[in-house]
Amino acid sequence: MSLISIDNLDFETVKYLLELANYYEYPYNKKNYENILKGKTLINIFFENSTRTSLSFQKAMLNLGGNYLQYDVSKSSINKGESISDTIKTIENYADIITIRHPENDIFKQFNSNKLVINAGNGTDEHPTQSLSDLLTIYNCNNKDINCINNLNIAIVGDLRYGRTVNSLIKLLLKFNNITFYLISPNELKISNEIKLLITDSNCYYKEDNDYKKYLDAMDVLYMTRLQKERIKNNINLDYYNLSFNDLKNVKKNFIIMHPFPRNNEINLDIDNTKYAKYFLQSKLAVYMRMSIITHFYYKNINTISKL
Ligand code: NCD
């Protein structure tokens, strides 16, 4: 079993992943898990750049007593014309867990693997481990009460057409109830109809707009995203979405600002030290969530989940 899409997860699994990530957060539990993946190896196969995703997967492995091998696509035999499926077949000999980031949406249809494969971002489609880390952040900011995720007002702002984190985040939040999504983008960067249909068919709601600041005071979460320049040919910019401290005068007490990062100029630095800024917390909690994902799926695969 692999984690390719949020569609692979039911609500009970999401709940379990949050609880397990929460368990990993506490240093006093360390002795119970620090060797749980001893002798196991993770390899990140990343065809696109990454800072947080690649490092947090590696850190997660180290925290669990496992290890990782470095694989650098730019120096690999892919550049001699090797196919992705030959690369995967080879890497299966060295890895127990394989994470893949690739610019093509259908990359996971191009090969089979007998190892645990985790999607670390496929084109404009999904980034499930990012959105699970995002969910953990929302959960942590709401007293770790899973019920608080219901009824949220969340503004998702920026490049909703080419950004994959937003697709996974919306799919994940649709497992909860009565969430209202404010989907804010320029017309050229609107979210796909497929995602809008999913919302329509759920017990959540959405509203689309080009501007978000008028909604800020009613929001619980603001999720900013950058323009996916590497996927866009025409000259769009999102500079007018820039958020500054002055915009936050009347926000709710528990309002939070998130961003999967990297940021360009979506969020001014004057916000970083305020209580609203949760984007660095997101990358910190990503380690615990990835520990949770790795152990849950790895042990599920080899059918020894009782080990935990
Ligand atoms: C995101 C991605 O790769 O989709 N980055 C990340 O993993 N945190 C967001 C982005 O690149 O804009």
Side-chain angles (χ1 to χ4, degrees), residues 48-50 52-53 101 120 127 130 164-165 226 228 230-231 259-262 290:
E48 291 181 344
N49 296 340
S50 170
R52 281 149 287 271
T53 307
R101 168 170 290 193
H127 192 349
Q130 175 67 45
R164 53 197 172 203
T165 64
R226 75 176 171 102
Q228 302 283 300
E230 63 275 44
R231 306 185 207 285
H259 193 310
F261 266 34
R290 291 190 167 113

Side-chain angles (χ1 to χ4, degrees), residues 93-105:
N93 291 322
Y94 316 134
D96 303 283
I97 300 148
I98 301 172
T99 67
I100 300 188
R101 168 170 290 193
H102 198 280
E104 289 170 34
N105 287 24

Side-chain angles (χ1 to χ4, degrees), residues 33-85:
Y33 64 73
E34 62 190 352
N35 287 315
I36 201 156
L37 284 182
K38 198 168 170 50
K40 305 297 172 217
T41 303
L42 170 137
I43 301 184
N44 288 327
I45 309 181
F46 279 29
F47 290 80
E48 291 181 344
N49 296 340
S50 170
T51 298
R52 281 149 287 271
T53 307
S54 57
L55 289 176
S56 61
F57 266 117
Q58 292 173 347
K59 179 70 176 134
M61 263 327 258
L62 296 178
N63 287 354
L64 296 164
N67 51 55
Y68 63 86
L69 287 176
Q70 289 287 5
Y71 170 77
D72 182 347
V73 171
S74 70
K75 298 197 177 86
S76 77
S77 293
I78 290 278
N79 302 310
K80 299 179 186 172
E82 183 166 78
S83 67
I84 180 86
S85 79

Side-chain angles (χ1 to χ4, degrees), residues 242-279:
N242 168 276
L243 182 74
S244 75
F245 185 62
N246 284 336
D247 297 316
L248 306 178
K249 286 194 186 100
N250 297 312
V251 294
K252 286 184 174 178
K253 194 164 91 357
N254 294 326
F255 171 70
I256 60 171
I257 303 165
M258 300 174 67
H259 193 310
F261 266 34
R263 77 175 137 182
N264 293 148
N265 46 10
E266 299 82 47
I267 304 172
N268 276 4
L269 301 184
D270 62 3
I271 295 180
D272 289 3
N273 292 326
T274 69
K275 64 174 184 168
Y276 308 115
K278 300 296 177 194
Y279 24 94

